[in-house]
Amino acid sequence: MPDEPRRDSPSPMAPPVLQVDALTLAFGGVKALTNVGFSVAPGSITAVIGPNGAGKTSLFNTISGFYKPSQGHVRFEGQDITRLPAPKRAALGLARSFQNIALFRGMTVLDNIKLGRHAHLKTNVFDALFYLGRARREEAELRRDVEERIIDFLEIDHIRHASVAALPYGLQKRVEMARALAMQPKVLMLDEPVAGMNREETEDMARFILDVRREWGITVLMVEHDMGMVMDLSDHVVVLNFGQVIAQGTPAHVQADPEVIRAYLGAGDVGELRRRLRGESVATATAGVA
Ligand SMILES: Nc1ncnc2c1ncn2[C@@H]1O[C@H](COP(=O)(O)OP(=O)(O)OP(=O)(O)O)[C@@H](O)[C@H]1O
Ligand SMILES: [Mg+2]
């Protein structure tokens, strides 16, 4: 991560870093995903959007290994990871945050960030017992260095010793991102990074997402309802409705797609909807289409 190239655009010619192929997932009789396929270009910011219940979180859970699809494949850097357990996927470089914050609330910010690194330890208990001396010291130093860079980057130095439970929601979301970054991922998956945030917090988070890509070379895959944010930040947008991909392409392409507009019609006033789908700047965005 520290030596990744600077980037502010995807590499569309390079092979996809993540590829989802014909994924199908059912809960009893409910088909949460049907034949879902798309690719994530390295260095891209890719967004998954869709009305409530469309299957976005189910898709994230399937990509990160919490749910097992009945059909289809997930490939990471060309490797089929469909059968790999979640921690192994994390160790390969797929990190994520959760729609509902999943931090250890009684612990400090710093301790939560340190926990992120555990996904990176490839040693077992016995290896760890013998893991002494210089290597261990170097590992500890490298670790501290990564943690410090993340704390600095996300501007959370002032709260490093604060208990997570005492923090406002926007800062908790930032700590969750810090923990995911501590895994030194290649792909960062964010489930609704700005949900519940006020405008200022949203703008900050949008800036961090752009910087994660630009300064650290990390590919971002996010689920988000805030259309202003999605249209401003994304290179590629995948639209889900009732568990199926109904459109994908650039923000301009999907917001003009009649099927996408139809899918969101239940969300309320058509004029308002068109305005939101056109994607205003983050600065003027209101709450997302939900
Ligand atoms: N663990 C589960 N058990 C049973 N059904 C589930 C489970 N998780 C999701 N579902 C169902 O799968 C469908 C997709 O839900 P999912 O949470 O993936 O949607 P979403 O697009 O993330 O929605 P939201 O925008 O509200 O977060 C819904 O019908 C939901 O009720
Ligand atoms: Mg969801």
Side-chain angles (χ1 to χ4, degrees):
M1 183 171 65
D3 299 319
E4 286 289 335
R6 280 178 160 257
R7 262 193 189 135
D8 46 22
S9 61
S11 318
M13 292 306 158
V17 61
L18 185 69
Q19 204 171 2
V20 171
D21 192 17
L23 270 193
T24 296
L25 173 78
F27 299 107
V30 179
K31 268 203 163 179
L33 300 173
T34 306
N35 209 19
V36 170
F38 64 92
S39 295
V40 177
S44 71
I45 295 179
T46 298
V48 177
I49 66 168
N52 289 117
K56 304 178 298 295
T57 297
S58 300
L59 175 64
F60 260 37
N61 285 338
T62 310
I63 292 173
S64 55
F66 292 97
Y67 294 163
K68 297 278 169 266
S70 57
Q71 282 175 50
H73 297 273
V74 181
R75 289 188 180 81
F76 184 71
E77 297 188 307
Q79 182 187 345
D80 190 334
I81 59 166
T82 319
R83 303 284 153 221
L84 278 191
K88 289 229 165 92
R89 298 186 200 202
L92 284 177
L94 257 181
R96 67 170 294 183
S97 72
F98 291 83
Q99 183 169 354
N100 300 305
I101 291 172
L103 292 167
F104 292 93
R105 291 173 57 78
M107 288 169 45
T108 67
V109 168
L110 186 59
D111 285 340
N112 269 281
I113 295 172
K114 283 179 190 290
L115 274 179
R117 281 288 293 169
H118 280 288
H120 227 60
L121 295 179
K122 295 179 185 75
T123 48
N124 63 33
V125 173
F126 295 103
D127 288 341
L129 282 175
F130 291 104
Y131 189 55
L132 297 167
R134 203 172 144 203
R136 188 171 157 197
R137 258 197 324 277
E138 278 176 3
E139 159 77 13
E141 272 163 29
L142 180 68
R143 220 168 132 158
R144 249 196 315 278
D145 184 50
V146 168
E147 285 156 12
E148 289 309 315
R149 283 194 60 204
I150 292 168
I151 287 169
D152 189 44
F153 171 71
L154 288 174
E155 299 165 13
I156 49 178
D157 190 32
H158 59 299
I159 52 160
R160 69 164 68 210
H161 298 300
S163 156
V164 163
L167 297 175
Y169 182 79
L171 276 178
Q172 289 191 17
K173 285 291 242 193
R174 221 188 281 180
V175 175
E176 222 200 354
M177 187 177 190
R179 189 177 60 182
L181 283 176
M183 292 164 70
Q184 296 181 271
K186 292 170 184 156
V187 175
L188 178 63
M189 297 171 61
L190 303 169
D191 195 350
E192 303 206 15
V194 303
M197 287 190 177
N198 65 31
R199 184 174 301 172
E200 197 187 332
E201 290 168 334
T202 300
E203 284 170 9
D204 283 345
M205 186 52 88
R207 179 167 53 88
F208 290 132
I209 291 171
L210 284 171
D211 285 351
V212 157
R213 186 256 297 270
R214 186 171 54 224
E215 291 185 22
W216 302 32
I218 296 174
T219 304
V220 177
L221 176 63
M222 65 174 172
V223 166
E224 187 46 63
H225 278 293
D226 185 321
M227 288 301 149
M229 160 116 166
V230 166
M231 299 305 171
D232 270 0
L233 265 57
S234 310
D235 304 296
H236 189 75
V237 181
V238 178
V239 189
L240 282 185
N241 195 26
F242 295 112
Q244 300 191 41
V245 176
I246 58 165
Q248 60 176 312
T250 60
H253 174 83
V254 299
Q255 73 203 26
D257 187 302
E259 222 186 314
V260 175
I261 294 172
R262 256 201 308 280
Y264 276 102
L265 276 183
D269 174 61
V270 177
E272 166 76 2
L273 174 70
R274 283 186 189 280
R275 194 174 59 74
R276 284 184 184 170
L277 278 176
R278 271 202 304 275
E280 307 160 314
S281 72
V282 168
T284 53
T286 52
V289 177

